[in-house]
């Protein structure tokens, strides 16, 4: 009975994530409620570690701008990302998203991160590709205190508690019950039967624009 009671207390945490907006450019909103074990994490840093599949990515330049203005804090692994690569040439991306306390709830934390969908291969029938985003892992970092061993387990995370360029400290993971096991991002894709039409229109547009530019150069250009 004691073991069951400890497990019930340790699992009293909830995680929700939402993909806001529509189209290729979205906001990933993550909310965490630590529940009973939140008492042990007072004054500690809380983060959500999530793995983004190849169909979705974070723009490191956009993230750097947001962090410069203290609008969000996150660590990308790897930190070098090809933002132009299509889905079928990209790899997974690991994100450690630092969370801020929710003023409306003493045990709640939340954070938002802009994410972007990648271009997919043309499809045969459907005009949308589905990108499945799994529920994140909840991590807590306490540099000056210890957490209850029965509720937390050490996690292998090479990142500082504060999100700044400090030395890494020990992160701990907590088992939780997500509100949804996964979120699905719908990305618009082209149809294979439209390939010929797209190529012809692109070629005509290229020839027309090149002709207009050449005509403008000949008419208004100054040649010595």
């Amino acid at each position: 009975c004691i073991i069951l009671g400890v497990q019930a207390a340790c699992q009293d945490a909830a995680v929700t994530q939402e993909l806001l907006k529509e189209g290729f450019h979205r906001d990933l909103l993550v909310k965490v409620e630590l529940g009973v074990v939140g008492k042990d994490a007072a004054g500690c840093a809380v983060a959500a570690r999530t793995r983004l599949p190849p169909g979705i990515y974070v723009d490191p330049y956009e993230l750097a701008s947001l962090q410069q203005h203290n609008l969000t804090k996150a660590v990308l692994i790897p930190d070098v990302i090809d933002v132009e690569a299509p889905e079928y040439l990209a790899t997974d991306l690991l994100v450690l998203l630092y969370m801020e306390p929710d003023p409306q709830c003493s045990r709640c934390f939340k954070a938002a991160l802009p994410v972007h969908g990648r271009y997919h291969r043309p499809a045969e029938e459907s005009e949308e590709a589905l990108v499945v985003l799994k529920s994140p892992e909840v991590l807590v970092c306490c540099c000056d205190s210890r957490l209850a061993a029965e509720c937390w387990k050490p996690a292998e995370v090479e990142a500082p508690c504060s999100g700044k360029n400090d030395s890494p400290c020990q992160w701990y993971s907590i088992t939780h019950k997500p509100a949804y096991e996964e979120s699905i991002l719908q990305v618009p894709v082209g149809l294979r039967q439209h390939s010929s039409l797209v190529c012809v229109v692109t070629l005509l547009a290229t020839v027309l624009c090149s002709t207009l530019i050449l005509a403008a150069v000949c008419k208004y250009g100054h040649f010595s």
Side-chain angles (χ1 to χ4, degrees):
C1 293
I2 296 179
I3 296 177
L4 292 177
V6 171
Q7 290 178 345
C10 294
Q11 293 177 356
D12 190 10
V15 179
T16 60
Q17 66 177 4
E18 299 178 71
L19 285 166
L20 308 178
K21 301 180 181 178
E22 299 291 338
F24 282 90
H25 309 290
R26 313 290 286 272
D27 284 336
L28 176 62
L29 176 63
V30 182
K31 297 181 180 179
V32 173
E33 183 177 358
L34 293 181
V36 175
V37 294
K39 299 178 181 178
D40 296 333
C44 301
V46 179
R49 181 167 63 172
T50 184
R51 185 174 296 276
L52 302 182
I56 190 172
Y57 71 96
V58 176
D59 188 336
Y61 304 102
E62 180 182 20
L63 177 60
S65 177
L66 293 174
Q67 293 189 134
Q68 185 177 4
H69 293 86
N70 294 322
L71 297 178
T72 190
K73 290 188 292 184
V75 174
L76 306 180
I77 305 174
D79 56 356
V80 178
I81 301 172
D82 186 356
V83 299
E84 300 294 338
E87 178 269 341
Y88 48 87
L89 295 179
T91 58
D92 290 356
L93 173 64
L94 193 62
V95 180
L96 184 67
L97 179 60
Y98 293 87
M99 313 197 73
E100 298 290 337
D102 189 340
Q104 300 180 354
C105 174
S106 60
R107 298 174 180 169
C108 300
F109 300 82
K110 62 180 181 179
L113 182 69
V115 295
H116 308 274
R118 293 188 182 274
Y119 290 105
H120 288 61
R121 294 183 186 274
E124 294 290 347
E125 297 179 359
S126 176
E127 294 185 0
E128 291 181 331
L130 302 182
V131 179
V132 179
L133 184 61
K134 298 293 185 180
S135 178
E137 177 185 11
V138 180
L139 299 176
V140 173
C141 179
C142 299
C143 296
D144 302 323
S145 61
R146 294 184 177 180
L147 298 170
E150 66 273 12
C151 292
W152 310 86
K153 61 180 181 179
E156 296 182 1
V157 178
E158 293 292 334
C161 282
S162 63
K164 300 179 181 179
N165 294 326
D166 303 326
S167 59
C169 61
Q170 181 61 62
W171 287 87
Y172 291 87
S173 175
I174 179 177
T175 56
H176 63 278
K177 185 176 182 180
Y180 305 99
E181 291 292 340
E182 58 188 30
S183 300
I184 298 179
L185 170 66
Q186 296 178 326
V187 180
V189 297
L191 297 177
R192 291 185 183 276
Q193 56 266 36
H194 295 163
S195 299
S196 300
L197 177 61
V198 171
C199 291
V200 171
V201 173
T202 302
L203 178 60
L204 292 177
T206 302
V207 172
L208 176 60
C209 293
S210 300
T211 303
L212 293 176
I213 294 174
L214 182 60
V217 170
C218 294
K219 182 176 181 180
Y220 301 103
H222 297 284
F223 304 95
S224 56

